[in-house]
Amino acid sequence: MRRASVSKAPLITPASTIAEVWQHPLGNDVLATILRQLGRSPAWVTNPFVSSIRLRSLPRLSFGRVSEAFVETIVRMLNNHRDIPARVVAEAPAQWWQSAVFYQIYPRSFMDSDGDGVGDIPGIISKLDYLQDLGVDALWLSPIYDSPNDDNGYDIRDYREIMREFGTMADVERLIDELHARGMRLVMDLVVNHTSDEHEWFQRALADAESPYRDYYFFREGATAPNNWTSFFSGSAWRRFDEEWALHLFSSKQMDLNWDHEPMRREVHDMVRWWLGKGVDGFRLDVINYISKDPGLPEGDPLIGALMGYTGVEHYFAGPHLHEYLHEMRTEAFDPFEAVSIGETPGVGSNLGKLLTSPDRGELDMIFSFDHLETPGHTRFDDYHYDLGYLRDWWQNWQLDYGATCWPTLFFENHDNPRMISKINPDPALRVALGKLLAVIQLTLRGTPFIYQGQELGLVNVAFTSIDQLRDVESINLYRELRASGESDTAVFAKVLAGSRDHSRTPMPWDSSPHGGFTTGTPWLDGDGDFANVNVADASVDPSSVLNAYRELIALRRTHRALTLGGIRFLPAATGLWCWERERDGERIRIEVNLTDAPISVPVVSGSHLFASGENGGRLGAYGARVTLVS
Ligand code: TEU
């Protein structure tokens, strides 16, 4: 894939003004992220006074709260990403993954075939007819490789072996064949920012200071931790081994790989080609924007650390060689197989996202950006009601700006986030309406929808009552850290419960039998019995279920290409309402959704109703939605 020449943003220097940083693509992303974390509007930085401030004046004007080092970091980071994303590239040829509906499976919790309480590959195979009937085109499996499961498979011990609890390589090969026989595809999870500490590479590096594997990781000597970086899973990002330290941005058993070391990169390319040679159709790439770290692993800025919640993140969320390594991996491993690449890119905004996915860049095909999942000033662990008006504003901008050049992903849930319905409005009476509203939004905006297992049923958060019920390393570590700081169990558990990833990791409810038909054994993680209320078997035969809404809407995508590859334009709408039209080859489809829990008058538009939820003549009920073929 060739790389087009692109224009570049002006060099940033300490003499640059805030206005010049705001004009810089990555500078705009960074400032927008900071403003969102602060819950502030752009006017905070675009007003005449602030916008005229030079970067070098910030330490003096902030009485040292903004350090000289931070100014140097910002200058270096922005100059590492000076390319200006192409506004609109010539229409790239349509790709299969643009029209496809993806379904993410968390294998541990999807279907257990052998009664050990853990989901497995044969269990997934037994449910392919269900997925095909739903209308799914491609699966994304969270990691199935051999792992000690410190982070449920995101700590890989052997990239070429299958986790024992999940089954065998023969099972995986059967899954690939069964999917392809159905015209479906398989995307696997590529976790190459780090490996398990039990991976052979790390074990050999640890055992021998002269090992060729030493440079596969970040080892540093010294009596104290090499820098102040913190882990996403609490505590320091450094683990001590005898006289040295090793870097781990995540759990203390997830050791960061050194992507500056070419032999390590070559091993990753080989492994990717090995899996693609088996018929895998592509990869979701775990925290792939973290792979390039700033040289010397500099100290993290305390102010940024306090703001972002993690110290040091400015030194790796978009490192100096990120584009180079992504382009190399695409050229060496993905392009020869025409495999799809979907980057998980926490913290990446619209402009950097364009540099990662614009078709002429030859880096990634799509990214998961998470900025829409929390409203300004909130984190996942804040217990608050999510405002769908924020989703409208944020996604509308992404659809028009980022979508003009690149292909968006559309998702509300995954294995790292609580259930979206509960975030918005936990009122059980509104669960179905909200579930259908989210389906309409996700399946009719422009981009590729990723449905997370159970979302199609309208699952909600789990009524956990004790930390002892949780299994997620992030939740457990956060609980311990907050309790150690003196907070009460009640206060700490409430905070952890608000954002625990375990909410979306309980067993998939197939029917109302014990454990929802997920296992005949004891589930590795237990739910709260909600399977008695909501499960696949009951929803399948209920015409008004969320599940049947997903089936109907996915079927609409298949019969109306305006809903997949069609253009999009947003219509003026009354407060609380969100309206857009999709158009292709003369076919125009209007979507009207009520983002509030109160009825709204919406005059009936002439045309034929393709889908309606909570609609009564000229009114849309709470979270109602209407899809109309207007021409
Ligand atoms: O997630 C990275 C990520 O962005 C979230 O885990 C987030 O950083 C974290 O929840 C702190 O808010 C990927 C995987 O999706 C996740 O399951 C893994 O735990 C993580 O990377 C490490 O591999």
Side-chain angles (χ1 to χ4, degrees):
M1 172 91 73
R2 64 173 179 74
R3 285 164 82 79
S5 62
V6 288
S7 58
K8 289 187 179 296
L11 267 177
I12 296 292
T13 72
S16 299
T17 62
I18 295 292
E20 287 163 324
V21 172
W22 184 251
Q23 292 308 317
H24 184 289
L26 182 57
N28 189 276
D29 283 354
V30 169
L31 287 178
T33 298
I34 291 173
L35 290 169
R36 202 170 44 256
Q37 291 295 108
L38 291 169
R40 301 285 181 180
S41 84
W44 230 50
V45 293
T46 57
N47 66 71
F49 171 68
V50 172
S51 59
S52 65
I53 294 173
R54 296 186 187 285
L55 290 176
R56 66 186 175 207
S57 307
L58 287 173
R60 173 173 53 80
L61 294 175
S62 67
F63 303 105
R65 278 175 57 76
V66 176
S67 64
E68 306 278 355
F70 175 66
V71 170
E72 287 163 23
T73 299
I74 285 288
V75 168
R76 183 179 62 244
M77 184 199 302
L78 299 193
N79 290 333
N80 281 334
H81 302 273
R82 289 179 57 211
D83 287 355
I84 302 267
R87 275 302 299 152
V88 180
V89 292
E91 263 308 295
Q95 303 289 332
W96 67 266
W97 40 265
Q98 292 180 295
S99 308
V101 173
F102 280 73
Y103 187 94
Q104 183 197 354
I105 287 178
Y106 196 66
R108 200 166 194 80
S109 307
F110 190 67
M111 181 62 202
D112 170 23
S113 70
D114 60 7
D116 67 354
V118 175
D120 48 48
I121 305 296
I124 293 172
I125 293 172
S126 74
K127 296 300 180 182
L128 290 185
D129 289 342
Y130 163 74
L131 294 167
Q132 187 170 25
D133 180 55
L134 177 58
V136 166
D137 300 294
L139 299 188
W140 154 30
L141 296 193
S142 278
I144 58 174
Y145 319 94
D146 174 45
S147 165
N149 288 304
D150 192 58
D151 186 16
N152 288 351
Y154 282 91
D155 48 321
I156 295 172
R157 181 167 48 200
D158 188 334
Y159 289 102
R160 289 180 166 86
E161 289 294 338
I162 302 305
M163 196 186 303
R164 185 186 46 73
E165 305 94 304
F166 286 174
T168 66
M169 188 60 78
D171 292 329
V172 175
E173 288 159 356
R174 186 160 67 93
L175 172 64
I176 293 169
D177 291 345
E178 291 280 353
L179 283 167
H180 288 171
R182 287 170 168 80
M184 298 165 78
R185 290 179 166 92
L186 176 63
V187 163
M188 287 175 60
D189 213 319
L190 186 67
V191 186
V192 288
N193 173 70
H194 47 268
T195 71
S196 165
D197 63 340
E198 298 181 26
H199 192 288
E200 179 195 9
W201 297 344
F202 189 80
Q203 288 300 308
R204 291 174 66 171
L206 201 57
D208 171 5
E210 303 307 315
S211 163
Y213 293 98
R214 290 289 293 189
D215 286 335
Y216 279 41
Y217 298 90
F218 293 95
F219 285 101
R220 295 293 184 276
E221 296 189 354
T224 60
N227 65 27
N228 63 351
W229 295 10
T230 56
S231 161
F232 286 101
F233 294 163
S234 302
S236 168
W238 292 93
R239 178 175 161 191
R240 186 159 182 72
F241 294 89
D242 298 333
E243 296 307 310
E244 59 185 352
W245 305 78
L247 179 66
H248 63 88
L249 294 181
F250 290 92
S251 89
S252 58
K253 283 177 67 65
Q254 293 171 289
M255 312 317 293
D256 275 64
L257 285 166
N258 171 15
W259 273 73
D260 294 331
H261 189 55
E262 186 177 359
M264 191 291 292
R265 300 202 305 271
R266 297 285 170 221
E267 296 244 29
V268 170
H269 303 159
D270 287 345
M271 178 267 293
V272 169
R273 285 193 293 263
W274 188 80
W275 276 107
L276 295 175
K278 283 182 164 295
V280 170
D281 298 287
F283 286 96
R284 173 265 194 188
L285 295 91
D286 190 61
V287 289
I288 201 63
N289 58 304
Y290 290 173
I291 59 176
S292 172
K293 275 75 170 176
D294 274 346
L297 310 181
E299 283 286 291
D301 181 82
L303 181 65
I304 287 294
L307 195 59
M308 303 310 290
Y310 307 103
T311 303
V313 66
E314 70 273 21
H315 293 303
Y316 56 79
F317 102 94
H321 300 288
L322 176 60
H323 302 294
E324 171 194 341
Y325 295 157
L326 289 175
H327 183 64
E328 179 188 65
M329 179 158 57
R330 184 182 184 110
T331 306
E332 294 294 326
F334 281 77
D335 279 350
F337 295 87
E338 296 184 351
V340 66
S341 57
I342 307 155
E344 187 216 19
T345 55
V348 165
S350 172
N351 289 309
L352 181 55
K354 291 175 198 168
L355 286 185
L356 295 171
T357 62
S358 181
D360 59 321
R361 298 277 300 176
E363 295 181 22
L364 297 168
D365 291 314
M366 295 185 273
I367 57 165
F368 290 137
S369 166
F370 299 86
D371 294 341
H372 64 293
L373 285 185
E374 305 302 340
T375 55
H378 293 116
T379 72
R380 175 159 44 94
F381 291 101
D382 291 331
D383 189 4
Y384 71 101
H385 281 198
Y386 180 91
D387 172 11
L388 281 167
Y390 171 74
L391 178 80
R392 176 196 56 221
D393 298 344
W394 189 263
W395 258 4
Q396 189 159 315
N397 175 53
W398 266 73
Q399 289 275 303
L400 298 175
D401 176 45
Y402 175 84
T405 308
C406 305
W407 193 256
T409 56
L410 299 162
F411 69 97
F412 292 117
E413 297 186 5
N414 59 25
H415 63 292
D416 289 334
N417 283 279
R419 294 291 182 177
M420 195 63 183
I421 291 175
S422 297
K423 256 184 177 175
I424 298 165
N425 189 329
D427 180 352
L430 296 170
R431 172 177 182 171
V432 170
L434 251 183
K436 292 181 179 178
L437 172 73
L438 295 175
V440 169
I441 295 172
Q442 184 179 25
L443 294 166
T444 64
L445 281 176
R446 188 171 180 271
T448 297
F450 288 77
I451 300 167
Y452 177 65
Q453 70 180 47
Q455 174 190 334
E456 77 274 23
L457 297 171
L459 295 192
V460 295
N461 281 351
V462 180
F464 294 118
T465 55
S466 158
I467 191 66
D468 300 331
Q469 294 172 294
L470 302 188
R471 294 291 176 273
D472 175 16
V473 61
E474 179 195 49
S475 296
I476 292 165
N477 286 2
L478 178 60
Y479 176 85
R480 288 174 181 158
E481 181 181 65
L482 294 177
R483 289 284 281 133
S485 70
E487 290 189 51
S488 71
D489 170 68
T490 305
V492 170
F493 181 65
K495 185 174 182 67
V496 170
L497 187 64
S500 178
R501 303 187 297 179
D502 279 328
H503 284 297
S504 57
R505 300 180 176 188
T506 52
M508 181 74 178
W510 296 105
D511 55 42
S512 56
S513 70
H515 305 306
F518 161 73
T519 180
T520 56
T522 303
W524 70 277
L525 171 67
D526 221 342
D528 55 12
D530 187 45
F531 60 80
N533 305 323
V534 180
N535 60 69
V536 169
D538 294 345
S540 291
V541 297
D542 172 2
S544 66
S545 67
V546 177
L547 176 62
N548 278 315
Y550 273 86
R551 282 176 174 150
E552 283 177 55
L553 289 161
I554 294 173
L556 280 181
R557 289 171 58 90
R558 291 181 186 282
T559 48
H560 297 279
R561 279 167 59 88
L563 291 176
T564 51
L565 298 176
I568 190 165
R569 73 185 184 96
F570 292 92
L571 308 175
T575 304
L577 213 50
W578 192 14
C579 301
W580 59 94
E581 286 187 349
R582 302 295 311 273
E583 183 161 13
R584 186 175 177 87
D585 305 333
E587 180 182 62
R588 191 154 56 92
I589 295 176
R590 178 172 299 183
I591 298 95
E592 299 157 304
V593 295
N594 176 0
L595 300 176
T596 74
D597 58 1
I600 291 183
S601 293
V602 188
V604 176
V605 62
S606 64
S608 53
H609 271 202
L610 297 177
F611 177 88
S613 160
E615 189 254 2
N616 176 9
R619 286 167 72 80
L620 281 183
Y623 304 122
R626 186 165 65 195
V627 182
T628 308
L629 178 61
V630 290
S631 68

